[in-house]
């Protein structure tokens, strides 16, 4: 039997290895004082790395909606609440197809992929798909083929499901979704596009006039709340409820989160989306004027700075602008970047201030 002193030796060794490779991460609380401002380590900062793209987490209707209790149980036992059904009905009306709530977006990808796929199926997945898609595929036991980012080429004929994102979280680009269509099913994770892109904020697929078989959306980003949903054909909802392990064996979404998500959905309007676009144009053209190249097409604005990334992020922070540096393993070595995210709630002065700070830092 391991002695008390070395009982956790393997964990300590793993931590030491992570630290040795420069990948040790730590938490640092950020007290938000407004939709784009906060206090971090005693310093006032303007935040350019939140996914609250429409500033809705501070909208008075969303703030007021955080009311109710924890569900206390899985929905199939005693945790099913009117707030869940109200939100599902609103989403079903939004998409014209049945929607089902899950906890986080991470959870939704696990639930959907493990319910749709079985051993022997083949899934074609974009090389830059989010960790939750990768983990869902692993759990499903389906065979996977990884396709080059955004250029899938010929998708193998025996593919059951192709899966991609509507707006990529690290590269900020929007794929041409018709390239992913075929005789197989198409699943699009709209985590970063839902609420922002497409008619009524339905996402990147709707913006391109495409109806994927399955959509994942989250309320933790543009909607300013918490929770997630999946949309699909009429068989999907009963299948999730009867056979979706990640739906069945977990506590229902807390009522306050469901109510806040419904309020956020109602508050996400074209005016906010236009304001966000205005801010994106201002920031992206300011970057070009500084001679900095940004990746992507929309409100996620990654600027690849390689080895300079963390030094520039620190310099921005000392000037009062908080934008996270993204390092391996999240991105490939050499592709380190600062991932700026814009919100409709940013002011022109905040964006211009960030550009000035970037000019000094670079
Ligand atoms: C593409 C994608 N899908 C899913 C998620 C997970 O969503 P949530 O934060 O609601 O768990 C994220 C989170 O960043 C994401 O980027």
């Amino acid at each position: 039997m391991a002695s008390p002193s070395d009982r956790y030796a393997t964990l300590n060794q793993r931590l030491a290895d992570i630290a040795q490779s420069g990948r040790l991460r730590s938490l640092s609380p950020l007290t938000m004082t407004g939709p784009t401002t906060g206090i971090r380590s005693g310093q006032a900062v303007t935040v350019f790395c939140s996914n609250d793209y429409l500033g809705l987490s501070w909208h008075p209707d969303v703030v007021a909606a955080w009311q109710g209790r924890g569900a206390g149980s899985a929905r199939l036992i005693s945790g099913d609440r009117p707030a869940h059904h109200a939100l599902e009905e609103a989403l079903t009306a939004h998409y014209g197809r049945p929607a089902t709530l899950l906890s986080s977006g991470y959870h939704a990808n696990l639930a959907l992929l493990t319910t749709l796929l079985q051993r022997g199926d083949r899934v074609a997945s974009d090389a830059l798909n989010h960790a939750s898609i990768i983990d869902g595929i692993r759990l499903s036991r389906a065979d996977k083929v990884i396709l080059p980012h955004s250029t899938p080429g010929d998708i193998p004929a025996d593919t059951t499901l192709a899966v991609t994102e509507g707006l990529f979280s690290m590269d900020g680009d929007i794929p041409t979704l018709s390239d992913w269509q075929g005789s197989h099913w198409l699943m699009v994770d709209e985590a970063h596009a839902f609420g922002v892109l497409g008619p009524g904020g339905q996402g990147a697929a709707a913006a391109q006039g495409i109806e994927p078989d399955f959509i994942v959306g989250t309320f933790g980003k543009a909607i300013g709340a918490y929770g997630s949903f999946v949309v699909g054909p009429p068989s999907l909802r009963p299948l999730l409820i009867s056979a979706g392990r990640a739906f069945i064996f977990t506590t229902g979404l807390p009522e306050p989160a469901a109510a806040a998500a419904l309020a956020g959905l109602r508050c996400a309007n074209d005016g906010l989306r236009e304001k966000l676009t205005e801010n994106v144009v201002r920031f992206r053209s300011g970057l070009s004027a500084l001679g900095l190249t940004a990746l992507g097409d929309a409100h996620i604005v990654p600027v690849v700075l390689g080895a300079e990334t963390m030094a520039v992020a620190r310099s921005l922070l000392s000037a009062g602008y908080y934008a996270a540096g993204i390092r391996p393993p999240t991105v490939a070595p050499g592709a380190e970047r600062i991932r700026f995210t814009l919100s409709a709630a940013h002011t022109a002065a905040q964006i211009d201030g960030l550009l000035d700070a970037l000019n000094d830092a670079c």
Side-chain angles (χ1 to χ4, degrees):
M1 203 166 112
S3 74
S5 64
D6 62 13
R7 189 175 166 79
Y8 300 114
T10 53
L11 302 187
N12 293 334
Q13 185 55 51
R14 273 178 51 202
L15 263 179
D17 292 346
I18 292 171
Q20 173 76 26
S21 65
R23 293 178 178 186
L24 198 62
R25 301 178 187 219
S26 60
L27 295 170
S28 175
L30 172 65
T31 304
M32 294 303 285
T33 51
T36 58
T37 52
I39 310 277
R40 189 173 180 270
S41 305
Q43 185 198 2
V45 289
T46 305
V47 181
F48 277 95
C49 50
S50 163
N51 300 326
D52 189 3
Y53 301 124
L54 300 177
L56 287 175
S57 71
W58 281 76
H59 191 292
D61 294 359
V62 177
V63 174
W66 284 94
Q67 300 285 335
R69 304 284 181 271
S73 157
R75 287 184 70 186
L76 279 169
I77 302 183
S78 62
D80 192 28
R81 297 281 175 274
H84 298 146
H85 289 266
L87 180 54
E88 285 173 336
E89 279 159 26
L91 286 162
T92 300
H94 197 56
Y95 282 100
R97 290 190 295 158
T100 309
L101 300 185
L102 278 308
S103 306
S104 66
Y106 187 101
H107 202 111
N109 277 325
L110 251 54
L112 188 54
L113 287 158
T114 55
T115 303
L116 295 178
L117 299 170
Q118 295 179 321
R119 200 190 288 277
D121 287 335
R122 182 186 290 274
V123 54
S125 177
D126 185 286
L128 290 192
N129 272 344
H130 188 256
S132 55
I133 298 176
I134 297 170
D135 292 354
I137 293 172
R138 284 184 184 150
L139 257 185
S140 77
R141 299 199 180 96
D143 297 326
K144 66 168 183 257
V145 47
I146 305 297
L147 298 176
H149 175 53
S150 276
T151 49
D154 290 333
I155 297 178
D158 60 348
T159 297
T160 315
L161 171 82
V163 52
T164 185
E165 297 181 19
L167 169 60
F168 278 86
S169 60
M170 288 301 143
D171 278 24
D173 59 321
I174 299 168
T176 303
L177 291 167
S178 56
D179 291 350
W180 288 84
Q181 286 183 305
S183 53
H184 48 264
W185 296 329
L186 175 63
M187 166 177 164
V188 178
D189 178 345
E190 298 273 23
H192 293 275
F194 174 61
V196 179
L197 303 181
Q202 277 187 35
Q208 296 175 31
I210 281 176
E211 186 177 87
D213 301 280
F214 306 98
I215 292 173
V216 167
T218 170
F219 302 116
K221 305 186 194 298
I223 299 302
Y226 179 79
S228 71
F229 66 91
V230 296
V231 164
S235 49
L236 177 65
R237 185 176 157 81
L239 197 59
L240 277 167
I241 293 171
S242 301
R245 293 170 65 83
F247 176 90
I248 298 170
F249 298 106
T250 191
T251 299
L253 199 60
E255 280 175 322
L262 183 56
L265 191 61
R266 290 183 176 143
C267 294
N269 60 39
D270 287 344
L272 289 174
R273 288 186 270 271
E274 277 157 26
K275 181 69 183 33
L276 176 58
T277 306
E278 219 175 86
N279 284 348
V280 171
V281 170
R282 187 177 194 96
F283 186 53
R284 283 185 177 273
S285 42
L287 286 173
S288 334
L290 294 181
L292 290 169
T293 312
L295 302 179
D297 313 301
H299 47 282
I300 297 175
V301 188
V303 178
V304 177
L305 297 163
E308 302 295 310
T309 297
M310 298 318 286
V312 175
R314 275 193 300 275
S315 166
L316 291 181
L317 195 55
S318 61
Y321 296 95
Y322 178 35
I326 312 285
R327 290 179 286 172
T330 310
V331 293
E336 294 87 349
R337 66 200 59 187
I338 300 186
R339 176 182 175 275
F340 298 98
T341 51
L342 274 289
S343 167
H346 282 124
T347 62
Q350 288 174 327
I351 295 170
D352 295 348
L354 171 62
L355 288 164
D356 285 345
L358 259 171
N359 192 23
D360 295 341
C362 296

